[in-house]
Amino acid sequence: MHLKKTAFIAATLIGSGFLVACEGTDLNPGAPIIINPGTGGGGTTTGGTTGGTTGGTTGGTTTGGTTPVVGPPLTGTIGTGTPAAGQTRNLNRAVDLFSMTSFFNIADFNNTTSVAGQIDNRGRPLAGATSLTRTFTAPALWPPATANEAVSSLTLPPYIVSTDYVGAFAPGTTDATAWTKNWTIGVNGNDDVWGFYGSLPVGALAGRTVPVADGTCPAGTSLVGPFSTVIGSLANDESRLFTAAQAVGDYDVCRLPAVYRENGTLNLTNDNVYVTASGFPGTTIGAGSFARTSPQFQITNSVLNVEPGTLIYATGTSALVIARGARINANGREDAPIVMTSLTQLRGRFDGNAATPVDTGSGEWAGLALLGFGKDHLCVAANSPADIDYSNCDVLIDGNVGNYGGADNEDSSGVLNYVIVRNSGNVIAEGNELNGITMGGVGRNTTIDYVQVHKNADDGIEFFGGAVFVGHAVLTYAEDDSIDGDNGWVGGVQFALTIQNPNAANSGYEIDSRPNRLPVTFPLIVNATTLSPANRATSGPGAGDAIAHGALLRESLRFSFNNSIITGNFPLGCINVNDGRTPTPPLTAATETFNRVNEASGSPTTGGPHFVFRNMIVDCTTSNFVENDEGAAPTP
């Protein structure tokens, strides 16, 4: 996140509109490029390895046609370059309670610091990889009962599972067997993710041979006009996914309402394209995002149902917001993902001009926000657990599109399955952008599995409080962090591929808590592969908290990283665990981040259940670990 903007505040939402539509681009790197194929490096004393193959290809051919679609480059190698001065970057400020370097290398943890010969530049295991066979046993409940405090352990969703390998992909994975196949933008060699879905056995298009604009829209939406007029003719599709009979067809564009607060279902059928209400904050489903003190606050059983293959787009500061008490049922398919994108991106694809990029920029609309009744540790009037009042909590979410918070970490905001959010993150105010998918107080009974966020101007996915888990996530070219967690989030992520933006200084993970606040942030991260850009810009880290770490973990959090890989050119190091000695309120000895290892019978020499790196591969070109990065030690 750029700034901690979340605060207690009563907000009145202004209605606005937002269109949904989307299509992919090609990030296909061509032939796999081996990461760290040179000699030396890794080990236990150096960060990064020597040598490596450079090169690779950019772009590729477009599925269904012959026009190359070139996206951001995946060229060169990741995790290569000159040997680092050493594995540890010591900033010589306030001294950490123990050495992260030594802790990471405890024998029982099975961690390593060389990725040489293990994966290619898309995170795919190489033949003969020897460090990727490690077992993760999924816990029955999360967080552990030893960290219960003000939050109860909850059952994990069924898509969080035990595995026997390290990284996002199992050994032997190919394009034909990868979980990214068919539905993602580019990372699996596929170029486009929205086309004609008349072949589907479900949805309004089932049995159709051509899309038809008949001037009708689902109840609750209003007709804008035909796709050919609003955006462009299907025959002008530069991705060549609309050909023959489909190219002479058309869709109706239907506008979503500013606020849908009915006790019922708003159905978005895949025979139309949809746009949100215009302006800020776009379209809000339900009225629970108003502050509880607002006369407009109302809890309704409002459901947004989105058929597989549906396209939604938006412009400017418009977002799609699912309020407290409401739900989204966006249940796409591998062969028909649901896509949310910008009008700019769509017009670039359907303008018939090959010189116009199909994959446009970031910040072209606001993004997707889910707001729930889960716990947030800003639901406290003072810095004492006795002051927590979850039941009356209002926290204004990043981007200011609505309020969230409550006492129910088992809440459900619905389902996101095979959903892509792209080209989003418009600036609401200076330093205040919505993330690709922003989740405030989202509960454990929400299902989020198979999602991609591409080219967001802020974070890819950010979690504020709540207990939700995400499975099978692809995060490409975020301009801030790929995964950000804060405010007492006690969920997690399994099976994640993140590729950082080459032109923005950002982190793979930025995860925070706050001292003396409950619940304590405590994520479970498993089977994630975090790659720096192959060709990071030489401008170096940016200002503020948009800094280039593999993982920045701080402010009294707990964490458990398992069976995951962090590698590449992260200028400030692979892993920085930071106590943050100068927050307000100040840390105490009991709440320092490093002290979490001493909880529940743990220690810096044996480990503990609240401070976990296990079955990890960490190999960065500059340094693997940052030591003594805190501010000046407090005056005794």
Side-chain angles (χ1 to χ4, degrees), residues 89 91 96 549 572-573 575-576 623-629:
R89 181 170 179 258
L91 296 189
D96 293 337
H549 292 95
L572 298 187
I575 294 177
N576 184 358
S623 59
N624 288 343
F625 306 106
V626 180
E627 305 277 13
N628 308 322
D629 190 23

Side-chain angles (χ1 to χ4, degrees), residues 487-514:
N487 293 25
W489 171 48
V490 291
V493 178
Q494 185 176 27
F495 307 117
L497 173 66
T498 68
I499 301 174
Q500 300 301 107
N501 191 305
N503 299 312
N506 50 11
S507 297
Y509 304 88
E510 182 189 324
I511 306 178
D512 307 295
S513 198
R514 285 175 178 80

Side-chain angles (χ1 to χ4, degrees), residues 35-36 48-49 78-80 114-116 119-121 123 498 500 529-533 536 550 564-570 574 617-621 624:
I35 296 177
N36 282 339
T49 61
I78 298 172
T80 65
S114 176
V115 77
I119 59 175
D120 67 19
N121 70 338
T498 68
Q500 300 301 107
T529 297
T530 301
L531 307 175
S532 78
R536 184 183 286 279
S564 296
I565 300 169
I566 302 174
T567 187
N569 180 11
F570 290 100
C574 259
I617 302 176
V618 170
D619 188 354
C620 289
T621 56
N624 288 343

Side-chain angles (χ1 to χ4, degrees), residues 2 362-365 423-427 433-436 454-459 477-480:
H2 287 300
S362 62
E364 295 172 351
W365 64 289
N423 303 96
S424 54
N426 198 306
V427 177
E433 301 89 359
L434 203 63
N435 307 290
H454 176 63
K455 276 194 171 181
N456 194 73
D458 197 17
D459 300 322
Y477 299 96
E479 292 183 4
D480 197 10

Side-chain angles (χ1 to χ4, degrees), residues 130-147:
T130 58
S131 299
L132 303 182
T133 304
R134 299 284 189 272
T135 298
F136 166 75
T137 302
L141 303 173
W142 191 263
T146 52

Side-chain angles (χ1 to χ4, degrees), residues 424-443:
S424 54
N426 198 306
V427 177
I428 306 299
E430 183 62 33
N432 186 8
E433 301 89 359
L434 203 63
N435 307 290
I437 303 176
T438 303
M439 288 180 271
V442 176

Side-chain angles (χ1 to χ4, degrees), residues 94-126:
V95 177
D96 293 337
L97 298 184
F98 58 90
S99 166
M100 262 302 307
T101 307
S102 298
F103 180 78
F104 187 85
N105 288 309
I106 293 174
D108 289 347
F109 289 176
N110 293 317
N111 298 323
T112 63
T113 52
S114 176
V115 77
Q118 305 303 304
I119 59 175
D120 67 19
N121 70 338
R122 288 185 292 167
R124 298 288 179 78
L126 294 168

Side-chain angles (χ1 to χ4, degrees), residues 392-415:
N392 291 312
C393 180
D394 282 323
V395 181
L396 186 64
I397 195 69
D398 235 21
N400 302 340
V401 296
N403 292 274
Y404 70 92
D408 186 9
N409 265 358
E410 296 186 78
D411 187 29
S412 174
S413 295
V415 175

